[in-house]
Amino acid sequence: MNFTGKYELQSQENFEPFMKALGLPDDQIQKGKDIKSISEIVQDGKKFKVTVTTGSKVLHNEFTVGEECEMEMLTGEKVKAVVQLEGNNRLVANLKGLKSVTELNGDTITNTLTMGDLTYKRISKRI
């Protein structure tokens, strides 16, 4: 399955408590909670380029499945991670105590971030 496409955020669960736990300042959380972010994914075999634009904030990560890479977190911190492909539609990464699972089903992409017992879920639709 190919992840390439542009996806617009449709809904999210637990945004505020999760961002607080990550250590983001309250003003950033308030600004970010109502913005419909756009995720753009370009897949070339095992290589991925992911750009997430939320208002004026742009998060850009590139990785190759199975190889260590540097990923920028929502806080701006850069951490080492290895992204694995499970089945043909799930990307899984562990970033410094945070587990990220991105699953593609048809035109819907679901990103679930888990940190301890806190889970943040984003659902985006292909545009």
Side-chain angles (χ1 to χ4, degrees):
M1 189 170 281
N2 197 319
F3 284 79
T4 296
K6 270 191 176 185
Y7 303 87
E8 184 179 36
L9 181 67
Q10 299 297 307
S11 65
Q12 52 188 0
E13 297 165 17
N14 279 339
F15 176 78
E16 288 184 64
F18 196 85
M19 295 305 145
K20 271 193 195 338
L22 274 181
L24 282 182
D26 283 344
D27 63 321
Q28 257 185 302
I29 294 171
Q30 290 310 313
K31 269 195 268 184
K33 72 175 183 174
D34 295 322
I35 297 175
K36 292 274 189 218
S37 70
I38 303 285
S39 301
E40 186 169 5
I41 301 171
V42 178
Q43 180 183 357
D44 179 12
K46 290 184 166 207
K47 291 186 181 194
F48 285 80
K49 288 181 185 175
V50 181
T51 306
V52 181
T53 306
T54 309
S56 61
K57 176 136 178 64
V58 179
L59 195 66
H60 181 77
N61 285 307
E62 289 186 34
F63 60 88
T64 300
V65 170
E67 292 179 17
E68 187 178 70
C69 63
E70 192 174 73
M71 304 275 273
E72 186 179 348
M73 295 186 55
L74 296 164
T75 56
E77 182 183 358
K78 293 191 184 301
V79 297
K80 297 263 185 234
V82 177
V83 180
Q84 300 293 352
L85 182 64
E86 290 183 356
N88 67 349
N89 69 332
R90 285 181 72 168
L91 295 168
V92 181
N94 288 297
L95 316 151
K96 202 181 155 195
L98 184 83
K99 182 176 183 183
S100 169
V101 177
T102 303
E103 191 167 352
L104 179 64
N105 288 306
D107 284 339
T108 303
I109 212 159
T110 304
N111 181 225
T112 308
L113 299 172
T114 309
M115 186 170 54
D117 57 359
L118 200 53
T119 299
Y120 166 47
K121 189 174 184 179
R122 299 165 47 93
I123 298 171
S124 301
K125 202 124 180 86
R126 194 184 297 263
I127 53 175

